[in-house]
Amino acid sequence: MRNLYQPERADIALADVLYALSDPVRLQIVRELAQRRETCCGGLGVPMPKSSVSYHFKVLREAGVTRTRVEGTQRFISLRRDDLEMRFPGLLDAVLRAAEAHVPEPA
């Protein structure tokens, strides 16, 4: 199995993180992960084709927003909250608060 690219803490770039968080689907994934410690890829129930979900996970991982742990055929995803906090203090919490404030009310 090939290794998945995941930047070291010092290599996480603000522009990459902001780009990754700018997409509504990826932002929803991050919001879900913020409420869990770690989950398997299918555990988030994103209503999209598997290839699209995989692409969004890749963008988040390569930006340094998430970490992917491979165990057999399973991939477990978690937020890199500590790394993001060290690099950009308060950024993730601010984005999550803003996203929560702009969730449309159910009809």
Side-chain angles (χ1 to χ4, degrees):
M1 163 155 264
R2 64 184 171 93
N3 288 331
L4 300 174
Y5 173 73
Q6 302 184 82
E8 296 295 324
R9 177 187 291 169
D11 297 328
I12 298 173
L14 180 60
D16 294 339
V17 171
L18 293 176
Y19 172 75
L21 296 174
S22 69
D23 182 88
V25 171
R26 291 191 293 267
L27 186 56
Q28 181 59 35
I29 290 170
V30 169
R31 289 181 65 222
E32 292 286 330
L33 288 172
Q35 298 176 18
R36 307 168 189 218
R37 291 189 66 92
E38 183 180 65
T39 190
C40 63
C41 292
L44 293 173
V46 180
M48 299 179 84
K50 185 177 178 182
S51 61
S52 297
V53 175
S54 293
Y55 168 76
H56 288 299
F57 282 136
K58 177 185 175 197
V59 171
L60 289 167
R61 177 177 39 80
E62 291 184 350
V65 176
T66 62
R67 174 172 281 110
T68 301
R69 180 176 62 85
V70 179
E71 190 173 298
T73 59
Q74 293 277 337
R75 292 181 184 215
F76 295 91
I77 313 295
S78 60
L79 272 184
R80 292 180 65 177
R81 186 180 286 278
D82 292 342
D83 290 337
L84 290 170
E85 187 62 26
M86 291 295 291
R87 290 285 290 145
F88 314 109
L91 176 68
L92 184 59
D93 288 334
V95 168
L96 291 171
R97 277 194 309 274
E100 188 67 33
H102 291 92
V103 173
E105 293 293 323

